[in-house]
Amino acid sequence: MSRFWSETTRNITPYVPGEQPRDKIRIKLNTNENPYPPSPGVLACLRELANEDLRLYPDPDSRELCETVADYYGLSAEQVFPGNGSDEVLAFLFQTFFGPDDLIAFPDVTYSFYPVYARLYGIPYREIPVREDFSIDFSGYPGEAKGILFANPNAPTGLYIPPAEIEALLRARPDTLIVVDEAYVDFGNQSVVPLVKKYDNLLVVQTLSKSRALAGMRIGLAMGHPELIEGLNRIKNSFNSYTMDRLAQAAAICAFRDDAYYREINGRIIRERERFKETLRGMGIPCTDSKSNFVFASLPGLKGPDALRLLREQGILVRNFAGNPRIADWLRITIGTKEDMDRVVEAVKKIMER
Ligand SMILES: *Cc1c(COP(=O)(O)O)cnc(C)c1O
């Protein structure tokens, strides 16, 4: 603590990202990274672009990237906003749409960065309990909320809400901004991006970190009505004109062009996820019906932090959210390769038999 810290700096509780270990962890399944590399096309394009042009500033509007994403989803470029990771996109949207007199609401079990941003930007928020089975119950959301945020599939439960239910919410609450964080949508789910053309109260956030194997590159997206996107650009251009560097813009464009590659690797992850869930259930281990690239499970008779430690002792790193009492005894286990998951199953067996 320095005497120069502002009141905000003194009072904020920062988000704590999953550990990036330097020790002997053999299997890293704690931050939902893709176990497969970016597409050969993305890597070739990055190698080609690591040249003297890096002395030049990038396109501040990421125009070609916006057009590529727009083509992919059947939108216009004015409906796309890229950012330096979807965390940055989320930070911008909190500042763009909400202030100290607005109320926002999100589930009590969801991406734990939302309350951090709400506190950082001084936005009043309410955390609405999910049901006992962790599903989101929209009927409990306050009528006066100006914004509702949730991840779909949700994190860290992996539970998925089909587009029809989200469309009903958009219709029922035309004056509430509905933010759907689709970080895990590509793992076998249907996106609500097409609804952007029909509803001006929908903002969809996506990331290239998980399904496009580019966590190290930092690329996120928001898609919504052109006036929502214009608002995001007003805030972004008041903060940093060049959030997207040349390499990030190019990598993102190539990633959207290499769709076949990503469908293939994510197909493998989906199959492994289903197999892993079934194996755990067969061992009597409760787990949610995750539609994401992780499984959410609770080892019977073990506190979450203890289960985490026992796996770590066997060289396997997973994630536990001990700070949230509703999920303190649950583990979020990223789906890795088949070999990774076989070793997790062996490690869990050992723990259950000890
Ligand atoms: C991983 C994740 C993010 C952040 O993604 P980045 O693009 O890497 O910043 C945002 N929301 C959810 C729900 C996530 O799981």
Side-chain angles (χ1 to χ4, degrees):
M1 158 103 75
S2 155
R3 69 185 190 285
F4 297 114
W5 285 8
S6 72
E7 191 186 331
T8 301
T9 310
R10 268 182 274 130
N11 293 336
I12 196 76
T13 308
Y15 175 75
V16 182
E19 186 188 346
Q20 300 298 339
R22 287 162 202 275
D23 61 4
K24 50 172 189 355
I25 291 297
R26 284 171 293 132
I27 304 184
K28 182 178 180 302
L29 303 174
N30 69 328
T31 51
N32 297 342
E33 288 140 334
N34 202 303
Y36 303 106
S39 74
V42 166
L43 296 177
C45 142
L46 285 174
R47 268 189 228 98
E48 195 183 317
L49 279 170
N51 64 28
E52 61 194 42
D53 282 352
L54 285 176
R55 74 189 174 81
L56 300 170
Y57 279 108
D59 171 9
D61 302 320
S62 303
R63 187 72 201 177
E64 197 185 341
L65 170 56
C66 291
E67 283 165 1
T68 303
V69 175
D71 280 352
Y72 184 86
Y73 277 117
L75 303 175
S76 72
E78 290 68 36
Q79 291 170 306
V80 181
F81 175 85
N84 183 20
S86 61
D87 284 340
E88 186 192 72
V89 173
L90 289 166
F92 284 144
L93 84 82
F94 273 78
Q95 297 172 78
T96 302
F97 303 110
F98 311 119
D101 298 326
D102 300 318
L103 177 70
I104 59 173
F106 40 81
D108 63 342
V109 177
T110 191
Y111 189 35
S112 47
F113 222 136
Y114 305 152
V116 176
Y117 285 133
R119 286 194 297 266
L120 176 62
Y121 298 122
I123 303 157
Y125 65 94
R126 230 177 276 165
E127 296 177 283
I128 311 298
V130 293
R131 296 186 187 99
E132 205 53 45
D133 65 2
F134 297 133
S135 62
I136 297 174
D137 178 5
F138 289 119
S139 70
Y141 282 67
E144 70 271 29
K146 188 189 176 194
I148 293 178
L149 293 89
F150 56 95
N152 191 42
N154 199 12
T157 61
L159 297 184
Y160 169 69
I161 300 166
E165 197 181 324
I166 295 174
E167 183 159 17
L169 181 69
L170 290 163
R171 273 179 202 276
R173 304 196 52 139
D175 295 320
T176 305
L177 181 62
I178 309 293
V179 178
V180 185
D181 183 343
E182 292 192 333
Y184 304 103
V185 76
D186 293 328
F187 299 102
N189 309 289
Q190 214 180 324
S191 171
V192 290
V193 167
L195 297 180
V196 155
K197 286 176 278 188
K198 252 171 101 179
Y199 298 94
D200 68 357
N201 58 331
L202 169 64
L203 198 62
V204 185
V205 177
Q206 292 190 354
T207 174
L208 277 71
S209 296
K210 280 91 182 215
S211 63
R212 294 186 198 264
L214 283 170
M217 199 84 235
R218 315 304 303 126
I219 305 156
L221 299 167
M223 285 163 278
H225 188 279
E227 286 170 9
L228 296 178
I229 300 304
E230 186 191 345
L232 286 167
N233 277 310
R234 285 171 70 90
I235 293 299
K236 175 227 147 198
N237 289 325
S238 307
F239 169 75
N240 174 4
S241 310
Y242 305 106
T243 54
M244 302 296 293
D245 66 62
R246 282 175 171 266
L247 297 180
Q249 291 185 34
I253 291 165
C254 295
F256 275 95
R257 292 194 181 138
D258 281 350
D259 206 42
Y261 170 85
Y262 287 103
R263 277 183 201 282
E264 204 276 316
I265 61 168
N266 293 329
R268 278 193 241 169
I269 292 168
I270 293 165
R271 286 193 295 278
E272 200 50 49
R273 170 191 77 204
E274 294 306 312
R275 193 179 73 103
F276 186 60
K277 275 191 296 199
E278 230 167 83
T279 308
L280 290 185
R281 287 188 180 132
M283 293 162 69
I285 294 166
C287 62
T288 61
D289 187 21
S290 172
K291 302 291 185 189
S292 187
N293 71 336
F294 55 79
V295 161
F296 198 52
S298 176
L299 304 194
L302 272 173
K303 290 281 163 210
D306 293 331
L308 189 79
R309 180 178 47 80
L310 290 167
L311 282 170
R312 193 178 177 122
E313 283 170 8
Q314 299 185 66
I316 296 166
L317 194 53
V318 301
R319 192 107 199 249
N320 165 247
F321 299 89
N324 184 340
R326 290 199 69 181
I327 53 172
D329 293 335
W330 289 74
L331 300 178
R332 191 193 68 188
I333 307 170
T334 305
I335 298 298
T337 62
K338 177 174 187 303
E339 293 69 37
D340 291 339
M341 302 326 286
D342 285 345
R343 286 164 84 174
V344 175
V345 169
E346 285 316 305
V348 169
K349 270 191 191 141
K350 258 198 207 162
I351 293 171
M352 303 304 291
E353 285 160 6
R354 90 201 182 288

